[in-house]
Amino acid sequence: MNILYILWFFVFFSFFGWVFNVGRNLINEGRFYNKGFLTSPFCPTYGICGVLCSIALTVLPQDNFIIFISSSIILSLLSVIIGLITEKLIGCKPWDYSDQLSSLGSYITIPYALLLGILGLFLNAVMIPLLKMLVDLIPFTVSMIVVLILCFVILVDYILSVVTVIRLKHRMKSLNGDLDMFNGEVSHEKLKELEENYNKLFTENILRRRLASAFPELKSSAYIRQVTDKLDEIKQDNMKEYTQVFENEEEKPFAFGLCFTKLFWLFLIGSFIGTLMETVWALIFEGHFEMRVGMVYGPFIPVYGGGACFLTVALYKLYKMSDTLIFVISAVVGGSFEYFCSWFQETMFGTVSWDYSDTPFNLNGRTNLMFALIWGFLGLVWVRYLYPFAAKLIEKIPRKTGSIITLALVIFMILNTFMTISAVMRWQSRIENNPPAHALDAYLDKHFGNKKMEFLFPHMTNVDDKEKSSETATADTVN
């Protein structure tokens, strides 16, 4: 059998299969819709089965019983294989006979296998000779061009459909992964938003809409139930962190509620997360690794730790508010806190660690609209998810062990704060060529020299140097 026949058999049987599916749906469901995997009027499953069956039947003895048995076996095996591949690809069964008494698995039944045997007889006796005769009537060049174009259309359609399904499954997996990360209350608005996102998965473009129409299992309520059940579980579990009450003091876990111990641990966690965020920010947006810390010992940035505590205190009783209100309040609170930290550092130590004077919508260079919006987002995520998650982890610490560790960490952070302030002040004094005045200055000169301080605080500058730099830049602009 030459290649031209094979290509035309594939195209014809693919089209015939599509017509068969559409007609069956029209009879069974009373409506017309494309049940195939492709958008175009072709079902490659039928085309592949038709081609393989026709090739196999031409080499078999032309006995009706042998043709019948062979067709039944070949087409049944192909149906199972294609069904398994399609299920693996799209994540649901393209057809399912498992609820029928005569089924042989999910993809074939005894009556259907016998029907395929009869179809093989008809194919071998009538369809193949008729198709060969029709193909022979068309000039070879024209026939080859037309069939190649049709095969190309089917191939492109198939690739687009596969890509659509892969991206759809990836998006589903991503959303389900996001749900698994939630460990806090989810507002009604957030729940509604996530449900809408799942529904949009099947309506965002024409390919997804058509696939959802062909395979309703893709958008079955199981997906939505998975979302709502998970979010309801998260919501109820998260509410306990804000509303749980213990009658006996002994029953309370370590650092329960909004207390100093809880806030201190949140300060440490927020300071550490801030260091990670700043490091990632430098890698992504500035293209290089840069140590960004706020203390000489450990990966801590107090601005983020203080912001976490400040947002917790400010928003702890507002968890029932909508996401929009929490976002706005967080933006105002976070931006104000950042402004205060900048002012306090400049007033107390004569240094600045950030300056947004050259950015739009800034407020005295201490904060700006963009970072206020980032604070709003961080505040929303903190209140809804991170704080409840962090609080639960803290409360799992044994009370006695937690008290000892907390005391040790408080002493360490007090010492860390003292050494950080002393090192920064000595750094400024050293720049002014002042010799060490006592043993602490000598220790700081030895262990926290200029190079190390520049490495730890690469963006910290003296206010006077900043003003001189600004005046120089202004003069250069005028000249």
Side-chain angles (χ1 to χ4, degrees), residues 247-280:
E247 295 182 0
N248 299 323
E249 188 70 23
E250 294 76 14
E251 296 178 356
K252 290 183 179 180
F254 171 72
F256 176 73
L258 196 62
C259 60
F260 169 79
T261 304
K262 175 70 69 60
L263 290 174
F264 174 73
W265 280 90
L266 294 177
F267 172 81
L268 294 179
I269 294 173
S271 298
F272 176 72
I273 292 176
T275 303
L276 295 179
M277 291 174 58
E278 288 287 344
T279 302
V280 172

Side-chain angles (χ1 to χ4, degrees), residues 432-444:
E432 296 172 358
N433 297 319
N434 294 326
H438 40 69
L440 178 60
D441 284 353
Y443 176 85
L444 294 172

Side-chain angles (χ1 to χ4, degrees), residues 307-324:
C309 294
F310 200 50
L311 287 173
T312 301
V313 173
L315 302 174
Y316 185 78
K317 295 296 183 180
L318 306 180
Y319 65 93
K320 290 184 179 180
M321 285 188 170
S322 68
D323 290 352
T324 302

Side-chain angles (χ1 to χ4, degrees), residues 339-355:
Y339 186 96
F340 170 79
C341 289
S342 175
W343 172 84
F344 181 81
Q345 179 183 346
E346 182 176 344
T347 303
M348 294 297 296
F349 309 110
T351 62
V352 292
S353 294
W354 62 87
D355 182 16

Side-chain angles (χ1 to χ4, degrees), residues 71-145:
S71 300
S72 180
I73 294 174
I74 293 172
L75 293 176
S76 295
L77 287 176
L78 287 173
S79 296
V80 173
I81 293 172
I82 293 173
L84 290 172
I85 294 174
T86 305
E87 181 183 1
K88 185 67 176 178
L89 177 63
I90 67 177
C92 65
K93 297 183 189 313
W95 56 87
D96 189 2
Y97 302 124
S98 57
D99 58 342
Q100 298 186 19
L101 295 176
S102 59
S103 66
L104 299 174
S106 300
Y107 297 110
I108 196 70
T109 66
I110 294 176
Y112 190 61
L114 297 177
L115 177 62
L116 291 176
I118 296 173
L119 181 62
L121 281 173
F122 179 74
L123 186 110
N124 185 64
V126 179
M127 298 301 298
I128 292 178
L130 179 61
L131 284 174
K132 285 184 176 180
M133 182 183 67
L134 293 175
V135 170
D136 291 338
L137 294 176
I138 307 173
F140 178 84
T141 303
V142 175
S143 180
M144 183 62 75
I145 292 175

Side-chain angles (χ1 to χ4, degrees), residues 412-445:
F412 167 73
M413 291 305 292
I414 291 174
L415 175 63
N416 198 0
T417 301
F418 171 77
M419 292 299 295
T420 300
I421 294 174
S422 299
V424 170
M425 294 180 67
R426 178 55 192 155
W427 182 21
Q428 295 177 5
S429 180
R430 194 164 49 240
I431 292 175
E432 296 172 358
N433 297 319
N434 294 326
H438 40 69
L440 178 60
D441 284 353
Y443 176 85
L444 294 172
D445 288 347

Side-chain angles (χ1 to χ4, degrees), residues 18 23 38 119 125 144 168 185 244 317 319 361-362 443 450 455 458:
W18 180 85
L38 305 187
L119 181 62
M144 183 62 75
L168 181 62
E185 181 205 359
Q244 192 171 11
K317 295 296 183 180
Y319 65 93
F361 305 106
N362 74 86
Y443 176 85
N450 291 354
F455 174 73

